Amino acid sequence: MPRWRALPEELDPEVREFTEQLRRLVERSGLSIGAVADRTGYSKTSWERYLGGRLLPPLGAAEALAEATGTDVVHLSTMWELAERAWSRSEMRHDSTVESARIARARAALGEFGPPQAAPETAAPQAAPHSARAGGRPGAVISEPLCHEVARRAAATEENPAAGPAGAAGPAAAAGPSGPAPRPPVPDSPRPPDYRAKAIPADAPAPRRRAALFVTGVVGALLVVAAIVLLLGVGDGAGGGPGSAPPLSSPSVVLPAGVKCTGAECSGKDPEAMGCGGGRATTAGSATVGTSYVEVRYSRVCGAAWARITQAAPGDAVRIDAAADGGVPARSESGKVVRDADGYTPMVAVSGPGKATACAALTSGPEGCTVARAASAPAG
C-alpha cells in the first residue's frame, strides 16, 4: 500500500511541485509523520494536511522541515514563495466563483416570485343616504353613526359659540345633567368641511418618545460594557508578558487546559502525562550521536525540559542535565529505550531553554551531548 495518497487534481502545478518536494524530503529522512511533528514543532494533524495537499504550510514549518532533514533552507524557501503566490491566486479564483454562484442563486430565488402584480381595484362602497365624505377625499367614507355624532356636535357649537367645537371637549362635555342629549335629526346635506376634519384624530407623539428612550437605553448599555472591558483589560496587564516563562515554583499560575504542573512541580514527572509535550514543547538543543538523534525538549508553559532520543535501539541511554540556577542545585534525570526506536527522560525544572543539556550513550559505543540553540515557537 503506498504511503502517500494522490494529490487533489485541482491543485495548482506550483503547489503540487512544492508538496511533492516536501514528501521527498520526508521519504529520504526516513522519519514518520509523528517524528516530523516533534522535530518541527508543528502538530501531526497539520503535517498530514500539508503533505496531503489540503493546506499550504507556513514558511516557518517549511524551514523547520529543511533544518530537521538537513536540506538547504534557501532553496526550499524559494519554492515556498512560488507556491504561496499560486495558492493565493487559486483562493481568489475560488472566492470569485463562490460569489458568482451566490449572486446567481439570489437572482433565481427573486425570479421565482415574478414581477410585482398590481392590486385589483375594488369598487368604492356605496354611501348610505346619510353618509358623508371626510374633507372631500374619495374613498374616505364616514359611517352613519359618525355622521350623527358630527351633526350633534355641530348643533351644540352653533347654540353655544363660546364653548368652542364640541370635538375639543369630548363626548362627556356635551352630556347634560340627566344624561346625553337626544340626537338631532340628520340634515340631508353634509356638514361643513371644518367639522368633518376635526372628527379625524391627529397623530400622537408617543412613538417618537419611545424610540428616543430605546436609543438612550442602548447607548447606556454599550457604555457599561465598554467600562467593564476596559477594567478587565487593565487587570490582565498586571502580570508578566506572554513570552515570559513561569518561575521554578509558581503555584498561583493559571495553567492551560490539559497542563497539570509547572516549575518544580514537574521535576521527575512524565512530560506527556503532564501535558507538557506535543505542540507545547520546542527543541532547545540537538545533536546526532552515531545513527541516533538526541535533543532537549523545552516547554515554556511548564517551565521544564527533558531529553529525547529517536532512531535509537533498545538499551540506548539518554540523560537530561540542568545547571544550577538561582540557588536551585543542578538536577539530572535518565531514561532508556526499551522497545521502540524512541525514548525520553522525566522532566527537570528550568528557567529557560538554554539551562539544560541532553546526552546519549548508545549500546553500539558512540556517546555525545547536545549543543544549545534558540528554541523555536511551539505550534498552535
Side-chain angles (χ1 to χ4, degrees):
M1 180 178 180
R3 181 178 183 183
W4 310 109
R5 293 183 180 181
L7 294 174
E9 295 182 358
E10 65 275 10
L11 206 61
D12 188 272
E14 293 182 350
V15 179
R16 179 183 297 272
E17 181 182 1
F18 178 72
T19 305
E20 291 174 349
Q21 177 65 24
L22 296 181
R23 289 183 173 185
R24 285 192 292 269
L25 295 179
V26 175
E27 287 286 353
R28 286 202 297 265
S29 66
L31 299 174
S32 64
I33 302 298
V36 171
D38 291 337
R39 294 192 181 186
T40 59
Y42 291 80
S43 66
K44 180 179 177 181
T45 303
S46 298
W47 276 113
E48 289 175 350
R49 294 175 180 174
Y50 301 157
L51 298 174
R54 290 176 291 170
L55 187 66
L56 183 70
L59 180 59
E63 293 177 346
L65 180 63
E67 183 180 355
T69 56
T71 307
D72 185 6
V73 176
V74 177
H75 172 68
L76 196 62
S77 299
T78 302
M79 294 188 64
W80 179 88
E81 292 177 359
L82 298 175
E84 195 274 336
R85 295 174 186 172
W87 186 276
S88 299
R89 290 194 301 268
S90 299
E91 286 187 340
M92 292 177 62
R93 288 194 299 268
H94 174 73
D95 292 343
S96 177
T97 303
V98 171
E99 187 68 20
S100 299
R102 290 177 59 188
I103 294 175
R105 287 196 298 269
R107 288 176 176 172
L110 293 174
E112 292 177 358
F113 297 99
Q117 299 180 358
E121 296 183 357
T122 57
Q126 296 295 330
H130 298 290
S131 64
R133 298 185 179 272
R137 294 178 299 171
V141 179
I142 302 178
S143 62
E144 183 176 355
L146 182 58
C147 286
H148 285 294
E149 182 67 17
V150 172
R152 185 184 62 78
R153 295 185 181 183
T157 304
E158 291 175 358
E159 294 174 359
N160 187 11
S178 59
R183 294 182 179 180
V186 180
D188 293 336
S189 60
R191 302 306 299 176
D194 57 335
Y195 296 108
R196 291 196 298 270
K198 290 177 181 179
I200 300 175
D203 293 337
R208 296 182 181 178
R209 291 197 299 269
R210 288 196 295 269
L213 291 175
F214 175 76
V215 173
T216 304
V218 171
V219 173
L222 292 176
L223 291 176
V224 172
V225 173
I228 294 174
V229 172
L230 289 176
L231 290 175
L232 292 178
V234 171
D236 291 342
S244 59
L248 296 183
S249 179
S250 52
S252 62
V253 174
V254 179
L255 300 177
V259 179
K260 303 177 182 178
C261 68
T262 181
E265 302 171 354
C266 296
S267 294
K269 296 182 180 179
D270 189 303
E272 299 297 331
M274 293 294 103
C276 301
R280 296 189 177 96
T282 59
T283 299
S286 61
T288 301
V289 180
T291 58
S292 300
Y293 182 77
V294 62
E295 54 189 326
V296 175
R297 297 291 287 170
Y298 169 71
S299 174
R300 182 182 299 275
V301 68
C302 293
W306 62 96
R308 182 176 66 183
I309 187 171
T310 55
Q311 302 180 20
D316 291 347
V318 62
R319 185 182 75 253
I320 184 73
D321 297 323
D325 183 17
V328 179
R331 300 161 305 285
S332 179
E333 294 286 348
S334 301
K336 275 190 175 183
V337 178
V338 181
R339 292 184 301 272
D340 301 328
D342 301 339
Y344 57 88
T345 69
M347 294 184 287
V348 293
V350 292
S351 60
K355 301 294 184 178
T357 303
C359 298
L362 309 184
T363 56
S364 58
E367 297 182 359
C369 297
T370 60
V371 177
R373 69 178 182 184
S376 59

